[in-house]
């Protein structure tokens, strides 16, 4: 049942190209427009939305952070992302023109469920992004976008996460279509790039051995840092969470621009640091990341850098270099997360931990 893999998690990591493809199936109507079947919110309602609040926990929360970048960029609707466990207790401003998006793989997370109940009591519309048909959160929501990851057995979410990202991109594009903030051919262009993703994910997965080597070389480490910028920043947070869950060691994700504001003091000889390098563009993000990498390297860090296939600037500063396919920065989380998942899985395996059933954790957290 693990298809020859040692863990369900590893099997699920390698299932991601298929899960992404399935989550994209049937989303384009015959006339080329985007359609979201189970959405159940009509376009007139969506056109009135002036604020979005995304609520979720754990990995789903980090998917929500990526969604904020995409939704705000494509739709110009402002987005807040909030931990479900904090949401109700801060007296959030909710109106009938606020759309609350609840992201939950299981659909049963108690914190998220209580948060949507609170939002609906305040007259806000709730849309669920969920992987589990008929679970409580989509049943109690006004609409749902189902992800098609298939059952996720490993406690650490992997294919659940990438399919949540796909659903978030679809939602963002759909809102842009309804609001008219993107032209049809711009939406089609992003959809074409998403359709290429399963192949891109395979390309990254084919470099698994390089990631495993880096993991095995650091089996005695007590800490790992993850650096990213823009949409790569939440991916850094997700990489750190995976490692905490599975390897039980200190792991932390940072926005690379924050390094000089404190975290750089943590860098010490031999500390492994993951660096998610943004694509080269007009915005200097890439060059700023590069200088961050140079700084940690100069202080003795061991770097594993994820950089675009034709990026020739990183090599001198990377102990291990993983090549990412050329994709826009907003979509890069889909490919960049894979090496982080592989790393956590392999390091935990090398440490002798139970990857599928990490200590103290449950697959779905049904208590608040
Ligand atoms: O089922 P949900 O998406 O609501 O679960 C939320 C978190 O409990 C979950 O993502 C958790 O953080 C995972 N174990 C992460 O790998």
């Amino acid at each position: 049942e693990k298809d020859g893999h040692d863990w369900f998690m590893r099997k699920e990591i390698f299932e991601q190209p298929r899960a992404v493809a399935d989550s994209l199936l049937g989303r384009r109507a015959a006339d080329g427009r985007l359609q979201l079947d189970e959405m159940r919110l009509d376009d007139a309602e969506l056109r009135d939305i002036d604020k979005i609040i995304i609520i979720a926990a754990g990995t789903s929360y980090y998917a929500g952070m990526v969604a904020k970048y995409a939704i705000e960029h494509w739709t110009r609707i402002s987005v807040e992302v909030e931990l479900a466990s904090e949401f109700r207790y801060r007296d959030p401003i909710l109106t009938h023109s606020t759309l609350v998006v609840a992201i939950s793989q299981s659909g049963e997370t108690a914190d998220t469920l209580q948060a949507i109940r609170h939002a609906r009591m305040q007259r806000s519309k709730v849309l669920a992004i969920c992987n589990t048909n008929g679970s409580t959160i989509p049943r109690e929501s006004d609409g749902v976008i189902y992800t098609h990851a298939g059952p996720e057995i490993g406690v650490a979410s992997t294919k659940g996460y990438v399919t949540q990202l796909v659903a978030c991109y679809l939602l963002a594009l759909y809102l842009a279509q309804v609001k008219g903030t993107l032209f049809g051919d711009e939406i089609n262009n992003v959809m074409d790039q998403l359709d290429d993703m399963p192949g891109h994910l395979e390309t990254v997965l084919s470099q698994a051995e390089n990631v495993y080597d880096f993991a095995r070389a650091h089996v005695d480490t007590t800490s790992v840092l993850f650096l990213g910028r823009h949409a790569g920043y939440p991916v850094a947070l997700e990489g750190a969470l995976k490692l905490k869950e599975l390897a039980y060691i200190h792991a932390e994700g940072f926005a690379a621009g924050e390094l000089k504001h404190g975290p750089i003091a943590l860098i010490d000889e031999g500390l492994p640091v993951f660096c998610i390098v943004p694509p080269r563009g007009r915005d200097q993000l890439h060059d700023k990341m590069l200088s961050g990498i140079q700084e940690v390297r100069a202080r003795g860090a061991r770097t594993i850098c994820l950089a675009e296939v034709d990026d020739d600037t990183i090599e001198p500063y990377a102990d291990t270099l993983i090549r990412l396919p050329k994709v826009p920065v907003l979509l890069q989380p889909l490919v960049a997360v894979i090496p982080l998942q592989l790393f956590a899985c392999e390091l935990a395996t090398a440490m002798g931990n139970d990857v599928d059933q990490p200590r103290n954790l449950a697959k779905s957290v049904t208590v608040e």
Side-chain angles (χ1 to χ4, degrees):
E1 62 205 53
K2 293 180 197 149
D3 285 348
H5 292 286
D6 49 352
W7 304 109
F8 280 108
M9 181 191 183
R10 211 182 304 264
K11 168 177 174 253
E12 290 164 0
I13 291 172
F14 281 88
E15 278 172 0
Q16 291 180 112
R18 195 268 313 143
V20 165
D22 286 354
S23 298
L24 287 165
L25 265 183
R27 306 297 193 179
R28 285 204 253 198
D31 63 0
R33 283 173 69 82
L34 205 56
Q35 58 181 11
L36 296 175
D37 291 341
E38 318 98 331
M39 178 79 143
R40 298 200 304 261
L41 293 169
D42 62 46
D43 289 359
E45 276 174 311
L46 291 175
R47 222 168 275 127
D48 286 341
I49 298 299
D50 58 13
K51 183 171 84 171
I52 293 177
I53 304 181
I54 300 177
I55 45 178
T59 287
S60 302
Y61 174 72
Y62 297 137
M65 284 180 73
V66 174
K68 174 183 166 81
Y69 286 84
I71 297 173
E72 289 194 339
H73 184 69
W74 288 330
T75 73
R76 312 313 295 157
I77 305 171
S78 72
V79 181
E80 294 169 18
V81 191
E82 178 104 28
L83 291 169
S85 56
E86 290 292 320
F87 178 72
R88 275 187 302 155
Y89 303 101
R90 68 162 178 108
D91 191 16
I93 300 168
L94 292 159
T95 69
H96 64 275
S97 55
T98 307
L99 177 67
V100 169
V101 179
I103 308 179
S104 176
Q105 188 283 130
S106 63
E108 301 295 348
T109 298
D111 287 316
T112 311
L113 179 60
Q114 294 304 335
I116 67 168
R117 286 181 178 158
H118 180 82
R120 292 193 80 195
M121 264 159 40
Q122 314 282 313
R123 298 183 304 130
S124 292
K125 293 271 174 253
V126 175
L127 176 72
I129 292 179
C130 185
N131 193 45
T132 314
N133 256 291
S135 55
T136 313
I137 289 171
R139 269 196 281 118
E140 294 203 16
S141 298
D142 299 291
V144 54
I145 301 176
Y146 279 113
T147 52
H148 296 277
E152 192 179 59
I153 311 286
V155 164
S157 183
T158 54
K159 61 178 182 171
Y161 171 78
V162 293
T163 57
Q164 285 168 346
L165 291 180
V166 169
C168 290
Y169 294 132
L170 291 171
L171 171 63
L173 292 173
Y174 191 81
L175 289 169
Q177 177 175 282
V178 169
K179 290 234 172 205
T181 49
L182 290 181
F183 293 117
D185 51 352
E186 293 175 304
I187 295 173
N188 271 321
N189 183 28
V190 182
M191 286 302 292
D192 290 345
Q193 288 169 329
L194 286 172
D195 283 337
D196 289 339
M197 278 297 166
H200 290 332
L201 269 60
E202 294 288 3
T203 304
V204 182
L205 285 166
S206 71
Q207 299 168 73
E209 280 305 326
N210 297 346
V211 181
Y212 294 162
D213 287 343
F214 189 83
R216 288 184 214 118
H218 292 94
V219 70
D220 293 324
T221 194
T222 53
S223 174
V224 181
L225 302 187
F226 297 81
L227 304 179
R229 292 195 73 123
H230 196 272
Y233 164 46
V235 180
L237 299 176
E238 166 63 3
L241 177 64
K242 289 282 91 88
L243 206 59
K244 288 175 216 169
E245 286 191 283
L246 303 179
Y248 320 143
I249 59 172
H250 171 253
E252 225 173 316
F254 296 108
E258 279 294 291
L259 263 182
K260 54 188 172 300
H261 299 289
I264 197 154
L266 290 168
I267 308 291
D268 204 358
E269 196 57 42
L271 180 78
V273 179
F274 264 83
C275 307
I276 304 162
V277 184
R280 277 183 283 192
R282 281 158 299 175
D283 50 17
Q284 294 182 4
L285 275 180
H286 172 277
D287 296 356
K288 291 189 171 159
M289 185 73 205
L290 176 61
S291 71
I293 299 172
Q294 289 166 335
E295 296 205 350
V296 299
R297 198 65 176 354
R299 288 163 177 78
R302 292 264 166 277
T303 56
I304 174 165
C305 300
L306 321 181
E308 269 190 343
V309 59
D310 60 355
D311 185 345
D312 52 11
T313 62
I314 304 295
E315 208 147 343
Y317 312 102
D319 292 286
T320 294
L321 185 54
I322 302 296
R323 290 304 193 177
L324 300 181
K326 286 184 82 67
V327 296
V329 66
L330 279 174
L331 303 186
Q332 204 189 37
L334 280 171
V335 288
V337 74
I338 288 180
L340 314 191
Q341 299 166 339
L342 290 167
F343 177 75
C345 184
E346 187 61 19
L347 191 68
T349 305
M351 288 173 159
N353 297 350
D354 185 333
V355 168
D356 286 335
Q357 296 283 337
R359 69 185 185 196
N360 308 339
L361 294 176
K363 181 65 185 162
S364 90
V365 183
T366 51
V367 289
E368 277 186 81

